[in-house]
Amino acid sequence: MEITDDKLLRIALITSLIGIIGLIIFTPTIEVKEIQIKDINRGMIDEEVKIDCVVQDVAQSKSKSSYFLTVNDGTGQMQLIIFESQAAEIQSNNMDIKDFKDKKVEAVGKITEYNSQMEMILSSGDSLKITRK
């Protein structure tokens, strides 16, 4: 059996379609790993995770464009960084970031390190949700 360009093209097309269909089917079932703050380490840098925590403090950057939330889940405490674009997205939903103080929230973000401290950068404005007041 000889493989012609036409047969090779058909095989590539069918394989691509099967892969795309598989991605469409399985992508909604992929969830972000939920962790506790005490379990966050340097090996998790650039990994997207979800934490359930309470916002203890809200501080604004000197430029007034970013926010630094101190969050605690009972196992540890860390900074949650909200940059200008995420802050604008949250505020466009008629919420003030300062209203998150003392609220139980669910946050999804990427783990980073700054000045030898582990931090989490919020993924998007929709990645911070109040779960209980």
Side-chain angles (χ1 to χ4, degrees):
M1 179 169 120
E2 188 178 320
I3 297 181
T4 62
D5 287 345
D6 188 41
K7 286 182 184 177
L8 192 58
L9 179 64
R10 286 183 194 189
I11 291 170
L13 182 61
I14 290 170
T15 306
S16 298
L17 286 174
I18 290 171
I20 290 171
I21 290 169
L23 284 172
I24 291 170
I25 291 171
F26 293 111
T27 298
T29 62
I30 298 172
E31 289 192 24
V32 177
K33 181 169 69 171
E34 187 170 339
I35 61 165
Q36 293 181 322
I37 292 174
K38 71 176 175 93
D39 296 328
I40 295 174
N41 58 53
R42 284 184 172 83
M44 301 174 85
I45 290 176
D46 288 333
E47 190 174 324
E48 192 166 64
V49 297
K50 176 169 64 171
I51 58 172
D52 286 318
C53 52
V54 174
V55 177
Q56 292 183 320
D57 189 40
V58 177
Q60 204 168 9
S61 66
K62 291 177 185 174
S63 65
K64 306 277 188 210
S65 60
S66 299
Y67 291 86
F68 304 97
L69 280 60
T70 303
V71 296
N72 188 327
D73 69 352
T75 68
Q77 177 175 302
M78 71 183 307
Q79 292 290 314
L80 173 64
I81 313 303
I82 303 175
F83 288 120
E84 187 174 6
S85 59
Q86 292 97 348
E89 197 174 335
I90 291 169
Q91 291 164 343
S92 72
N93 291 330
N94 294 326
M95 294 196 72
D96 187 3
I97 294 174
K98 293 176 182 170
D99 293 339
F100 285 99
K101 184 172 173 151
D102 298 324
K103 303 278 190 326
K104 184 166 175 48
V105 298
E106 178 182 281
V108 176
K110 197 171 272 195
I111 300 298
T112 63
E113 183 178 18
Y114 181 73
N115 287 340
S116 300
Q117 295 291 318
M118 303 308 291
E119 298 181 333
M120 187 165 111
I121 297 175
L122 193 68
S123 294
S124 70
D126 294 336
S127 298
L128 183 64
K129 297 178 182 139
I130 295 175
T131 57
R132 189 179 52 159
K133 296 186 181 200

